[in-house]
Amino acid sequence: MKFSLKTLLLTTLLAVGFSFQNCTDDDVNCNCPAILGEFFDIQGLAVDNFKAGPNILGTLLTENETLQYEDYEGLQLQYQVEYVATNCNEKKSWGFSFMNSALACSCVEDGHRGAKDEKIEGITILTLNDFDEDHLAGESINDLFAVTIVDDKDLNEYLLQDDIEIRYESLRLALNKAPVLNTELKVSVTLQLSSGEEYTAESLPINIVN
């Protein structure tokens, strides 16, 4: 197959263009909003309950709401964060201005590179009600939860890993069975970080029926 010199030149320019990305606005105006920082620092914790909803994230449950176990999406540990200043403060755009018309700019979001220095050292979930005969009020129910971002890996197994990086501002945990002794689910969650910080938060009570 023969290629013309023009085709070869265009192909080469496109290939080179893909290899150069920057965070400046030297040649291309992407109209991206400025960001506060590409990393985040965890400064607190909130714990929410979610049910199945019209989108993949589900719907936030309200206090004392009742639902079927099969509709319960699980707990969400929501990190309260402060964004860390960055040199790349606006956008990621292609480095060649002639490519702007052919390739869309990719705007970045606050905290898109995850926690800058913190890693997860531990997570402890305590049930505040009698869950079943093996998990009474005040006891850990870690073994009843799975981390959904890693193929539903058991929470305790997940925590055995070294250097658990925090890439997102939340962590979703799925419950593997419905409460037996008390339909009300209310938990206290403690998050321990590699920095020595420790945060504790309680979920609002909900009722899960089987």
Side-chain angles (χ1 to χ4, degrees):
M1 182 179 296
K2 295 183 178 180
F3 294 94
S4 67
L5 180 60
K6 181 178 179 181
T7 300
L8 182 59
L9 178 60
L10 180 59
T11 302
T12 301
L13 287 173
L14 286 172
V16 173
F18 275 114
S19 66
F20 289 95
Q21 296 182 27
N22 57 59
C23 296
T24 68
D25 197 23
D26 294 338
D27 299 303
V28 182
N29 182 7
C30 299
N31 295 317
C32 295
I35 64 172
L36 299 174
E38 58 186 344
F39 294 99
F40 58 79
D41 177 73
I42 297 176
Q43 309 215 333
L45 176 69
V47 181
D48 297 314
N49 290 288
F50 279 81
K51 63 181 177 181
N55 58 57
I56 192 171
L57 297 178
T59 301
L60 181 67
L61 284 161
T62 58
E63 186 173 5
N64 296 319
E65 190 168 345
T66 299
L67 75 162
Q68 296 289 324
Y69 168 71
E70 56 266 27
D71 294 326
Y72 182 57
E73 288 285 306
L75 289 175
Q76 179 162 295
L77 311 189
Q78 185 67 50
Y79 310 135
Q80 297 168 345
V81 305
E82 181 176 280
Y83 297 111
V84 179
T86 170
N87 292 326
C88 176
N89 65 351
E90 286 197 11
K91 59 187 72 62
K92 177 173 64 180
S93 64
W94 298 105
F96 288 99
S97 59
F98 75 87
M99 297 181 67
N100 191 36
S101 60
L103 297 171
C105 293
S106 177
C107 298
V108 297
E109 297 180 352
D110 284 315
H112 67 277
R113 296 186 64 182
K116 184 173 178 59
D117 301 309
E118 300 154 320
K119 294 180 173 60
I120 294 176
E121 286 288 324
I123 296 172
T124 303
I125 304 175
L126 303 180
T127 177
L128 300 183
N129 297 308
D130 292 341
F131 190 96
D132 59 22
E133 292 182 354
D134 297 320
H135 304 86
L136 301 179
E139 296 181 346
S140 171
I141 53 173
N142 275 28
D143 59 310
L144 301 181
F145 284 93
V147 180
T148 60
I149 61 171
V150 283
D151 299 323
D152 291 343
K153 178 178 286 189
D154 177 82
L155 175 58
N156 284 333
E157 182 182 355
Y158 174 76
L159 293 172
L160 290 176
Q161 302 176 95
D162 294 326
D163 297 328
I164 304 175
E165 293 187 353
I166 306 172
R167 299 300 307 274
Y168 308 103
E169 294 179 33
S170 64
L171 182 68
R172 185 68 66 90
L173 303 172
L175 182 65
N176 64 27
K177 64 180 291 187
V180 176
L181 298 181
N182 190 332
T183 61
E184 183 181 271
L185 178 69
K186 184 177 182 181
V187 300
S188 172
V189 179
T190 298
L191 171 70
Q192 297 169 311
L193 300 175
S194 58
S195 59
E197 298 165 275
E198 183 173 295
Y199 300 103
T200 299
E202 292 184 3
S203 68
L204 293 175
I206 59 169
N207 292 282
I208 301 177
V209 295
N210 203 359

Short mmCIF file of all heavy atoms in Angstrom, two decimals, residues 2 9 15 18 25-27 37 61 65 68 91 93 116 133-134 136 144 157 169-170 182 187 192 194 200 210:
data_model
loop_
_atom_site.label_atom_id
_atom_site.label_comp_id
_atom_site.label_asym_id
_atom_site.label_seq_id
_atom_site.Cartn_x
_atom_site.Cartn_y
_atom_site.Cartn_z
N LYS A 2 0.61 2.22 -0.85
CA LYS A 2 1.41 3.41 -0.97
C LYS A 2 0.76 4.57 -0.23
O LYS A 2 -0.45 4.73 -0.25
CB LYS A 2 1.61 3.77 -2.44
CG LYS A 2 2.41 2.73 -3.23
CD LYS A 2 2.61 3.19 -4.66
CE LYS A 2 3.44 2.19 -5.44
NZ LYS A 2 3.65 2.61 -6.83
N LEU A 9 2.85 13.07 6.27
CA LEU A 9 3.12 14.25 7.08
C LEU A 9 1.99 14.51 8.07
O LEU A 9 2.22 14.80 9.25
CB LEU A 9 3.31 15.46 6.17
CG LEU A 9 3.56 16.81 6.87
CD1 LEU A 9 4.83 16.73 7.73
CD2 LEU A 9 3.66 17.93 5.85
N ALA A 15 0.28 12.30 15.37
CA ALA A 15 0.92 11.45 16.39
C ALA A 15 1.70 12.29 17.37
O ALA A 15 1.66 12.08 18.59
CB ALA A 15 1.82 10.43 15.71
N PHE A 18 -0.64 14.19 19.76
CA PHE A 18 -1.20 13.40 20.85
C PHE A 18 -0.21 13.25 21.99
O PHE A 18 -0.60 13.07 23.14
CB PHE A 18 -1.60 12.00 20.35
CG PHE A 18 -2.97 11.95 19.75
CD1 PHE A 18 -3.14 11.67 18.41
CD2 PHE A 18 -4.08 12.17 20.54
CE1 PHE A 18 -4.41 11.62 17.86
CE2 PHE A 18 -5.36 12.13 20.00
CZ PHE A 18 -5.52 11.85 18.65
N ASP A 25 -2.62 27.64 28.84
CA ASP A 25 -3.50 28.18 27.82
C ASP A 25 -2.69 28.93 26.77
O ASP A 25 -3.10 29.94 26.23
CB ASP A 25 -4.54 29.11 28.47
CG ASP A 25 -5.71 29.36 27.55
OD1 ASP A 25 -5.98 28.55 26.65
OD2 ASP A 25 -6.37 30.39 27.74
N ASP A 26 -1.49 28.41 26.49
CA ASP A 26 -0.60 29.12 25.58
C ASP A 26 -1.19 29.26 24.19
O ASP A 26 -1.08 30.29 23.55
CB ASP A 26 0.75 28.38 25.49
CG ASP A 26 1.49 28.40 26.81
OD1 ASP A 26 1.21 29.31 27.62
OD2 ASP A 26 2.34 27.51 27.03
N ASP A 27 -1.79 28.18 23.69
CA ASP A 27 -2.26 28.19 22.31
C ASP A 27 -3.76 27.96 22.19
O ASP A 27 -4.36 28.34 21.21
CB ASP A 27 -1.54 27.10 21.50
CG ASP A 27 -0.04 27.34 21.46
OD1 ASP A 27 0.36 28.42 21.01
OD2 ASP A 27 0.71 26.44 21.88
N GLY A 37 -7.30 22.89 43.14
CA GLY A 37 -6.15 22.02 43.31
C GLY A 37 -6.41 20.66 42.72
O GLY A 37 -7.55 20.19 42.69
N LEU A 61 -30.72 8.18 50.86
CA LEU A 61 -31.83 7.84 51.76
C LEU A 61 -31.97 8.90 52.85
O LEU A 61 -30.98 9.44 53.34
CB LEU A 61 -31.59 6.48 52.40
CG LEU A 61 -31.83 5.25 51.51
CD1 LEU A 61 -31.13 4.02 52.08
CD2 LEU A 61 -33.33 4.99 51.36
N GLU A 65 -36.12 6.29 56.73
CA GLU A 65 -36.75 5.74 55.54
C GLU A 65 -36.69 4.22 55.57
O GLU A 65 -35.72 3.62 56.06
CB GLU A 65 -36.05 6.27 54.29
CG GLU A 65 -36.78 5.94 52.99
CD GLU A 65 -36.23 6.71 51.80
OE1 GLU A 65 -35.49 7.70 52.01
OE2 GLU A 65 -36.54 6.31 50.65
N GLN A 68 -36.72 -2.19 51.03
CA GLN A 68 -36.37 -3.60 50.93
C GLN A 68 -34.86 -3.75 50.82
O GLN A 68 -34.18 -2.91 50.26
CB GLN A 68 -37.04 -4.22 49.69
CG GLN A 68 -38.56 -4.22 49.72
CD GLN A 68 -39.11 -5.23 50.74
OE1 GLN A 68 -38.54 -6.32 50.92
NE2 GLN A 68 -40.21 -4.87 51.37
N LYS A 91 -6.65 23.74 33.23
CA LYS A 91 -7.16 22.83 32.22
C LYS A 91 -6.07 21.91 31.71
O LYS A 91 -4.88 22.13 31.94
CB LYS A 91 -7.73 23.61 31.05
CG LYS A 91 -6.67 24.52 30.40
CD LYS A 91 -7.26 25.40 29.38
CE LYS A 91 -8.08 26.48 30.01
NZ LYS A 91 -7.31 27.36 30.89
N SER A 93 -5.12 20.73 27.97
CA SER A 93 -5.51 20.95 26.59
C SER A 93 -4.43 20.44 25.66
O SER A 93 -3.30 20.24 26.05
CB SER A 93 -5.76 22.45 26.34
OG SER A 93 -4.56 23.16 26.52
N LYS A 116 -3.26 13.69 48.31
CA LYS A 116 -1.86 13.93 48.01
C LYS A 116 -0.93 13.08 48.86
O LYS A 116 0.01 12.46 48.35
CB LYS A 116 -1.54 15.42 48.20
CG LYS A 116 -0.11 15.79 47.81
CD LYS A 116 0.09 17.28 47.85
CE LYS A 116 1.51 17.67 47.51
NZ LYS A 116 1.92 17.23 46.17
N GLU A 133 -27.37 -12.30 65.78
CA GLU A 133 -26.82 -12.90 66.98
C GLU A 133 -25.29 -12.80 67.04
O GLU A 133 -24.70 -12.85 68.13
CB GLU A 133 -27.24 -14.38 67.07
CG GLU A 133 -28.74 -14.55 67.32
CD GLU A 133 -29.15 -16.00 67.45
OE1 GLU A 133 -28.28 -16.88 67.25
OE2 GLU A 133 -30.31 -16.26 67.77
N ASP A 134 -24.66 -12.66 65.90
CA ASP A 134 -23.20 -12.56 65.86
C ASP A 134 -22.70 -11.13 65.83
O ASP A 134 -21.48 -10.90 65.89
CB ASP A 134 -22.66 -13.30 64.63
CG ASP A 134 -22.96 -14.79 64.67
OD1 ASP A 134 -22.85 -15.38 65.77
OD2 ASP A 134 -23.31 -15.35 63.61
N LEU A 136 -23.89 -7.83 67.74
CA LEU A 136 -24.74 -7.09 68.65
C LEU A 136 -24.32 -5.63 68.71
O LEU A 136 -23.26 -5.24 68.22
CB LEU A 136 -24.68 -7.74 70.04
CG LEU A 136 -25.11 -9.21 70.10
CD1 LEU A 136 -24.99 -9.76 71.52
CD2 LEU A 136 -26.53 -9.40 69.56
N LEU A 144 -19.50 -7.71 57.24
CA LEU A 144 -20.76 -7.72 56.49
C LEU A 144 -20.74 -6.76 55.30
O LEU A 144 -21.72 -6.66 54.58
CB LEU A 144 -21.93 -7.35 57.41
CG LEU A 144 -22.16 -8.27 58.61
CD1 LEU A 144 -23.36 -7.79 59.42
CD2 LEU A 144 -22.36 -9.72 58.16
N GLU A 157 -10.72 -7.84 54.00
CA GLU A 157 -9.68 -8.25 53.06
C GLU A 157 -9.06 -7.04 52.37
O GLU A 157 -7.84 -6.96 52.19
CB GLU A 157 -10.27 -9.21 52.02
CG GLU A 157 -9.26 -9.74 51.02
CD GLU A 157 -9.89 -10.64 49.97
OE1 GLU A 157 -11.10 -10.93 50.08
OE2 GLU A 157 -9.17 -11.02 49.03
N GLU A 169 -13.17 10.95 46.35
CA GLU A 169 -13.61 11.65 47.55
C GLU A 169 -14.67 10.88 48.33
O GLU A 169 -15.23 11.41 49.30
CB GLU A 169 -14.13 13.04 47.17
CG GLU A 169 -13.05 13.95 46.62
CD GLU A 169 -13.56 15.31 46.21
OE1 GLU A 169 -14.51 15.80 46.87
OE2 GLU A 169 -13.03 15.89 45.24
N SER A 170 -14.94 9.66 47.94
CA SER A 170 -15.89 8.83 48.67
C SER A 170 -15.55 7.36 48.46
O SER A 170 -14.80 7.00 47.54
CB SER A 170 -17.33 9.11 48.22
OG SER A 170 -17.49 8.76 46.85
N ASN A 182 -33.03 -6.45 64.43
CA ASN A 182 -33.61 -5.11 64.45
C ASN A 182 -33.53 -4.57 63.04
O ASN A 182 -32.45 -4.53 62.44
CB ASN A 182 -32.83 -4.22 65.43
CG ASN A 182 -33.49 -2.88 65.70
OD1 ASN A 182 -34.22 -2.36 64.85
ND2 ASN A 182 -33.22 -2.31 66.86
N VAL A 187 -25.11 3.05 62.01
CA VAL A 187 -23.73 2.66 62.26
C VAL A 187 -22.87 3.85 62.63
O VAL A 187 -23.20 5.00 62.33
CB VAL A 187 -23.12 1.95 61.03
CG1 VAL A 187 -23.91 0.70 60.68
CG2 VAL A 187 -23.00 2.89 59.84
N GLN A 192 -9.27 5.76 59.78
CA GLN A 192 -7.91 6.04 60.22
C GLN A 192 -7.02 6.25 59.00
O GLN A 192 -7.03 5.43 58.08
CB GLN A 192 -7.37 4.90 61.08
CG GLN A 192 -8.16 4.69 62.37
CD GLN A 192 -7.76 3.40 63.06
OE1 GLN A 192 -7.70 2.34 62.43
NE2 GLN A 192 -7.48 3.49 64.35
N SER A 194 -3.08 7.36 57.23
CA SER A 194 -1.65 7.17 57.42
C SER A 194 -1.00 8.39 58.06
O SER A 194 0.09 8.30 58.62
CB SER A 194 -0.98 6.87 56.08
OG SER A 194 -1.22 7.93 55.16
N THR A 200 -14.54 10.13 62.90
CA THR A 200 -15.67 9.25 63.20
C THR A 200 -16.96 9.98 62.86
O THR A 200 -17.11 11.17 63.14
CB THR A 200 -15.67 8.84 64.69
OG1 THR A 200 -14.47 8.12 64.98
CG2 THR A 200 -16.86 7.95 65.00
N ASN A 210 -36.48 -7.46 54.94
CA ASN A 210 -36.09 -8.53 54.03
C ASN A 210 -37.31 -9.18 53.39
O ASN A 210 -38.34 -9.32 54.05
CB ASN A 210 -35.27 -9.59 54.78
CG ASN A 210 -34.39 -10.38 53.86
OD1 ASN A 210 -34.41 -10.16 52.65
ND2 ASN A 210 -33.63 -11.29 54.42
#
